[in-house]
Each structure stands twice: as C-alpha cells, then as structure tokens.
Amino acid sequence: MYKIAVMGDWDSIYGFAALGLTPVVVTDGKQGTKKLQSLAELGYGIIYITEALAAEMTKAIDAYRDQGLPAVILIPGVTGNTGWGLRAVRQSIERAVGSNILLESES
C-alpha cells in the first residue's frame, strides 16, 4: 500500500492528518522541490500539493507528470481555487485518451 502526503502551508493542509495523510508544511518552492523529491524517493504513491505552492515549483512537478508514481495532484488551498489543478487534470486526461472528453465547454 502506498503512502499519501499533502504539501502546502499549514492552514491549508493541517486537516488532512485526520484522514491519515502525511502533512508536509512547506513555505516556498525551493523547499517544496526538495520535499517532493524526498517523498518520491520514500515511496509515496500520491502527493497532493496546494496550487499556490505548485505555482512556485512547476519544473519539479513537471518532472513527475509523465511518470506513473508518484501521482502529483494539485488542490486548492485556503487562498482559493486558481483553476490550475483542474487544468492539470484535463491535460492528463487528454494525454491519456488523445482528446478532450469532458462535456463542459472550455471558457
């Protein structure tokens, strides 16, 4: 069974510990890049990252985008939803299927 972590600022991630996820408090993209690599090496299968943090570490996330594990999934933080996480999921589906299969229109 794979372990699951969630990375971001404390206010955004502290509640995930109650669900059994490993919270990893990160304050900037440089630290986030190191933590992401460390979690991947430790065998974490899923790593959730807040969108605000992910915006500071796009290259590190892109390095894992086409790998099977770990799955890097962007989530909104307390500052709100930027839409980046949904766009990343849409792009992953398009790569896997070969076209946009979502029924909603892209605005």
Side-chain angles (χ1 to χ4, degrees):
M1 179 182 268
Y2 291 104
K3 298 178 278 186
I4 303 172
V6 59
M7 292 175 42
D9 61 280
W10 174 252
D11 290 336
S12 297
I13 68 166
Y14 72 90
F16 287 96
L19 300 173
L21 281 65
T22 303
V24 179
V25 178
V26 177
T27 56
D28 63 60
K30 186 175 180 179
Q31 181 186 26
T33 297
K34 290 177 183 177
K35 289 289 188 179
L36 176 60
Q37 183 178 9
S38 174
L39 291 170
E41 290 171 358
L42 290 171
Y44 278 78
I46 301 173
I47 302 170
Y48 293 101
I49 303 176
T50 61
E51 291 176 334
L53 176 61
E56 298 179 34
M57 46 186 288
T58 56
K59 288 182 183 180
I61 292 171
D62 287 344
Y64 293 99
R65 182 85 45 214
D66 293 326
Q67 295 182 15
L69 292 175
V72 177
I73 302 168
L74 307 184
I75 59 172
V78 294
T79 57
N81 184 354
T82 65
W84 192 27
L86 181 60
R87 284 191 300 275
V89 169
R90 181 175 285 129
Q91 289 171 347
S92 294
I93 292 170
E94 287 178 15
R95 277 196 311 270
V97 176
S99 68
N100 183 356
I101 61 169
L102 298 178
L103 298 176
E104 55 189 293
S105 64
E106 295 190 34
S107 321

